[in-house]
Amino acid sequence: MCGIVGAVAQRDVSPVLLEGLKRLEYRGYDSAGLAVTNHDNQLQRIRVQGKVNELHKEHEASPLSGGTGIAHTRWATHGKPNVSNAHPHICRDQVALVHNGIIENHEQLREQQSASGFEFKSETDTEVVVNAVYEALQSNPDLLHAVFDTTKQLHGAYALGVINSADPERLIAAKNGSPLVIGIGIGEYFIASDVFALLPVTQQFIFLEDGDIADITRDKLTIYNSELEIVDRPLNVSELNADVADKAGYRHYMLKEIFSQPNAIAESLENRVIDGQVITNEFGQDADSIFSQVKSVKIAACGTSYHAGLIAAYWMEEIAKIPCHVEIASEYRYRKSVVTDDTLFVSISQSGETADTLAALQLAKQSGFLSTLAICNVGESSLTRESDLVFLTHAGPEIGVASTKAFTTQLVALFLMVIAIAKHNNLSTEDENTFVKQLESLPGRVNQLLHHKEEIETMAKDFADKHHALFLGRGSFLPIAMEGALKLKEISYIHAEAYAAGELKHGPLALVDDDMPVVAVAPNNNLLEKLKSNLQEVKARGGKLYLFADKESDVESTEGVYVINLNVVYDFMAPILHTIPLQLLAYYVAVIKGADIDQPRNLAKSVTVE
Ligand code: G6P
């Protein structure tokens, strides 16, 4: 999703802006640009369709230089991904602006501005904002007030960075609904969509809140709230270092992230389980008292995080014996649902900035839930700031758009949550100890599964020329099949659907022929025999089966059935373990197809618009 970087400094800010854009690439984008006020107080701009590397090349050919600048990676919403729609947008050679979010009333503003003589050069919703700032400057030449007046006209979500060649050493930033952080240097300030973009230049950050406007010069930062009153926002010192974005010798971030799962899981468990017990306080100081009142759980999330929620529901009902309902956040936010005051609302999000998940949380906060809990991988995110209880996964920054280590650590967090709640609902200490042991065994077991890499790479060759694939699972392995299908479609562009194996004969069986690979997750549990019968139905129709089976599942490769026997012994951790081979399968299929694995087409890492 769109990324913003901006800077006011004594030095030439172009290299900082270009490096910042490079570090925001993981968010997903299709065009990029930057604008700098040069030493003659003139705005200069370059924009490209495509990658930041192209922008670098353009910049090398005709460098921009100056102490104040803004830059942007655009993920197209309104208007095609081309140069004229790329940001920064400029009005009458004076005001330049970058925007992340969606201006919902842009059509109405466009009509008004056209009537007053503005000519539009793009199809974006953003251009009305830069025009509005310019127009406001005509009655009051102060850029802060012009941006403030403009925001009052806007409906929708925005993070903005605005510069004005008539006021060349000043940058105004505004936030409402889309993320924006200010980086504090020595005699210089920066803005960006996330801290990651700015780690090479600072470790000190201030997170703007919705409605905030920041007035930034080289030596002064003043933050105002939506009433234009000066406010104090806390200073945060990041512990991340600039090298986290390194591929560490792996060909893709996604592969690095798949292989870092043993470590990410171990980090997410550290200090959360001690002497066989879950430390409930890790969810927040009031967690014990809140968990003791929970009679049901509602989970809302998007994408991969939604799949994590689906698995948690199986655990919650089986272990804690508490009803648990999971919803896609974009659906939940627009439906009228019944809320009881003993229900805990849980949101799950890697980024903590997903617009639909945030909106679901905001709705939940007004709906009379017992409390809200966020499971998130980013400490200072909007989701964590707005929730009563927070559990941070310690997966470390995830760069690949297709989520891997964030997913498995979410599952770890959710299992801990289930135990912490179950303790108040008759979970015995003995059972708690057993579950904690299972959790603690995870890093080692995930590590062993990674050794199946070569076998899976060989299997992947069968998929490279296919256009469709079916994924089957039963019980808590259905969401794992869904996640496997999602991974495959995200990065290899093969159409993949997941079905509950028992549903096969109610429709998808009609699709099965020798051109349709059917992938099945076959854990050694009470549903194995039923699953085997479902698979016979596929085999009888000439479909080719690809099975990921537990060691003890007792299935062998035969004609038309390709089995990888995994080093998995069945227990509650099995869904987490079965995820790993499906991640590797999707990865190797995409490698064979030569796809852009870390930045798949049309997708974004952090979906900050609705
Ligand atoms: C995007 C990403 C997915 C992610 C989903 C939810 O679609 O590409 O990988 O699962 O957003 O993101 P969140 O940050 O809320 O987990």
Side-chain angles (χ1 to χ4, degrees), residues 63-112:
L64 310 188
S65 175
T68 307
I70 48 178
H72 190 264
T73 47
R74 172 173 184 256
W75 187 80
T77 56
H78 296 69
K80 288 186 270 314
N82 58 24
V83 171
S84 50
N85 288 331
H87 300 212
H89 290 285
I90 292 185
C91 185
R92 305 206 174 147
D93 295 328
Q94 186 188 330
V95 181
L97 175 142
V98 287
H99 166 222
N100 172 16
I102 288 181
I103 306 303
E104 286 164 6
N105 58 335
H106 71 102
E107 280 175 1
Q108 183 201 341
L109 292 171
R110 190 177 263 255
E111 267 174 39
Q112 288 165 7

Side-chain angles (χ1 to χ4, degrees), residues 44-69:
Q44 293 182 308
R45 166 178 70 176
I46 46 175
R47 297 181 292 174
V48 297
Q49 177 182 342
K51 297 290 179 188
V52 173
N53 280 346
E54 299 302 315
L55 196 69
H56 266 277
K57 283 186 200 152
E58 290 262 330
H59 190 262
E60 268 169 21
S62 41
L64 310 188
S65 175
T68 307

Side-chain angles (χ1 to χ4, degrees), residues 26-27 301-306 348-355 357-358 375-376 378 383 398 400-404 406 410 483 486-487 490 600 603-607:
Y26 77 97
R27 294 166 69 88
C302 300
T304 291
S305 300
Y306 167 67
I348 311 169
S349 172
Q350 186 283 128
S351 61
E353 300 295 348
T354 302
T357 310
L358 265 176
I375 290 181
C376 191
V378 180
L383 203 72
E398 190 179 65
V401 163
S403 188
T404 52
Q410 282 168 349
E483 176 59 11
L486 178 64
K487 289 290 87 97
E490 278 179 314
L603 299 182
K605 181 75 189 158
S606 173
V607 181

